[in-house]
Amino acid sequence: MKKIHIIGLGLLGGSFSLAARRKFPELIVTGYDISEKNQKDAEILGIITEAKNQPDSDTDIVLLATPADSLGRILEETLDQIGEETLVIDLGSTKSKLCQLVEKHPKRKQYLAGHPIAGTEYSGPKAAFADLLDGKVMILCELEKTDLYLKEKAYQLFEALNMKLRFMDPEEHDRHLAFVSHLSHISSFMLGKTVLQKMEDDRNIFDMAGSGFASTVRLAKSSPAMWAPILTENKENILAALDGYITNLSAIRDKISSSEKESIYQELAEINQIRDILDLGKG
């Protein structure tokens, strides 16, 4: 592992670089960001060793860490540019459209569809930190379509960063992420909106906001530049998740309206089992 190029120098791209440079001290990391400020900050913070619009011909891995609606164009452009020994890995939250887009590309074997399950509510190169990816899951899709030799480069990087590999079909990935990630962000944003609307009438409302509100609305601090494209790129799956969520919200509203205390208790008690599932996942 001698050289990596990163397109998109925000939280995710920046954290990959900082972690990789810590494990491979001699590693050269070039990079590009559409934001001149982000690119300059990335140089100052040591995320990249040199700013470049395109990867060098001897680059081992190109990481794409840009908003979901830009990844298709950038992926095709990057595959057209690279030499035979370079692997391109995207880090996007949606996979189906990308895999379909490059299905017949002459350099398809030089692409690996990836999604690290890691992040915070903060964005930009200043939010990046080397431990973000430590112990986190890296989902890989259509692994069999990637060149065997190039896959070894990816394994070397992921192993060095202590990431746990999981393998999924791209459609399955997008369907599941709509429920456990994308729906969570929508819920947080809309809760934030609802309270902001209430604040217009009562500016003291945040004085009563405790840790429960803070943890639930935390994701509403996430970057709109990243999340707006995700919501449209994975539209069909997200709409299905929203339909189920809205149905459940309507049902609990009806029970509250009818003062069905025992029924509400039973439903909440049944939902409590998610605690055991999440605790098992941590183990």
Side-chain angles (χ1 to χ4, degrees), residues 15-207:
S15 295
F16 257 98
S17 175
L18 292 174
R21 294 195 70 191
R22 185 170 65 182
K23 292 294 183 178
F24 305 101
E26 303 300 318
L27 183 68
I28 296 171
V29 181
T30 60
Y32 170 78
D33 196 286
I34 193 170
S35 164
E36 291 185 13
K37 184 180 185 305
N38 280 1
Q39 190 162 287
K40 189 64 178 177
D41 285 345
E43 288 186 272
I44 294 171
L45 294 166
I47 289 173
I48 56 174
T49 52
E50 185 181 358
K52 288 193 173 184
N53 290 356
Q54 296 184 14
D56 294 332
S57 59
D58 60 344
T59 297
D60 292 294
I61 293 175
V62 178
L63 294 174
L64 307 183
T66 64
D69 59 345
S70 66
L71 280 172
R73 172 183 57 80
I74 295 172
L75 175 57
E76 287 187 305
E77 289 176 356
T78 305
L79 285 174
D80 290 340
Q81 294 166 357
I82 58 172
E84 294 181 358
E85 297 189 356
T86 300
L87 174 67
V88 181
I89 307 173
D90 89 278
L91 307 178
S93 291
T94 60
K95 298 270 80 82
S96 298
K97 287 185 177 180
L98 285 179
C99 290
Q100 292 171 9
L101 180 67
V102 297
E103 183 178 7
K104 300 189 182 302
H105 194 284
K107 294 182 183 176
R108 172 62 185 85
K109 67 179 182 179
Q110 292 178 247
Y111 165 58
L112 179 58
H115 179 204
I117 307 301
T120 72
E121 65 270 34
Y122 303 107
S123 59
K126 291 182 179 179
F129 60 102
D131 289 328
L132 175 68
L133 303 155
D134 184 37
K136 298 300 193 301
V137 168
M138 181 68 164
I139 298 175
L140 301 176
C141 299
E142 297 189 336
L143 190 65
E144 71 283 356
K145 296 185 179 181
T146 304
D147 178 81
L148 183 62
Y149 165 71
L150 295 178
K151 275 189 283 199
E152 290 300 321
K153 294 188 178 189
Y155 291 150
Q156 182 186 2
L157 177 62
F158 301 148
E159 183 177 355
L161 271 51
N162 190 35
M163 301 193 76
K164 302 172 184 177
L165 303 185
R166 300 290 184 271
F167 308 98
M168 298 182 78
D169 173 86
E171 288 76 20
E172 179 187 21
H173 167 277
D174 290 0
R175 192 163 56 248
H176 289 176
L177 263 292
F179 282 87
V180 298
S181 174
H182 305 165
L183 183 59
S184 302
H185 282 78
I186 295 171
S187 301
S188 187
F189 274 112
M190 291 305 105
L191 174 59
K193 177 179 180 178
T194 303
V195 174
L196 286 172
Q197 288 173 332
K198 176 61 178 173
M199 189 185 73
E200 294 176 3
D201 301 322
D202 184 355
R203 300 196 65 83
N204 296 317
I205 189 170
F206 283 106
D207 292 338

